[in-house]
Amino acid sequence: MHARRVLATAVVILGWSGLAQSKDLAVISNKSNEAVAITLPELVKVCKGQVSSWPDGKPVSFITRDPTAPEMKLLLEKVYGMSKDEVKAAIASANHGRGDHAAIVVVDSDEAVVKKVESIPGAVGVVDVYSISGGVKVLKVAGKLPLEPGYVLHGN
């Protein structure tokens, strides 16, 4: 009987950890940004710090969680196509020589991503869909919004 309880508890815990890995991510933008959509190739360039300004001239800042965080697994796989260490190196490289304006800002929570994106014109970030606030706008990625069928940042 005790073994059954332990097994049942283990199954529940493993199920929850699977749910934690299957988050849907949203690309959010500062409300002053003109963009309402971004293609996947454009998103990859922004996430890698390869875009310095938007068409309206505002500098681009990508706000993200630490690539080693478990919540970032989906972004690493679907956008970066790189390992955690490769992404950390790409962030360091993208920020090299950008003293007054970091291309990529790493913060420690989704809430911090939202706050930074709210406060920096030209900023975009990636957060769990349930962290979105009214202070930011959600961008379509490849023509889809989060939770729509076929959305690229949908966790499995």
Side-chain angles (χ1 to χ4, degrees), residues 39-118:
T39 67
L40 186 56
E42 289 169 337
L43 179 61
V44 170
K45 287 180 181 178
V46 167
C47 290
K48 291 182 177 180
Q50 298 170 343
V51 179
S52 59
S53 62
W54 295 109
D56 66 4
K58 285 186 190 114
V60 175
S61 292
F62 178 61
I63 316 300
T64 187
R65 302 274 308 270
D66 187 316
T68 62
E71 299 84 3
M72 298 306 293
K73 183 178 182 214
L74 181 65
L75 189 69
L76 294 178
E77 291 173 359
K78 299 214 175 171
V79 175
Y80 283 104
M82 304 162 97
S83 73
K84 296 172 190 176
D85 292 334
E86 290 170 323
V87 172
K88 286 183 95 161
I91 291 170
S93 175
N95 286 334
H96 183 71
R98 291 253 195 124
D100 63 332
H101 171 75
I104 303 169
V105 177
V106 178
V107 297
D108 57 3
S109 69
D110 280 350
E111 293 75 23
V113 172
V114 171
K115 293 227 179 286
K116 282 274 192 194
V117 170
E118 283 178 0

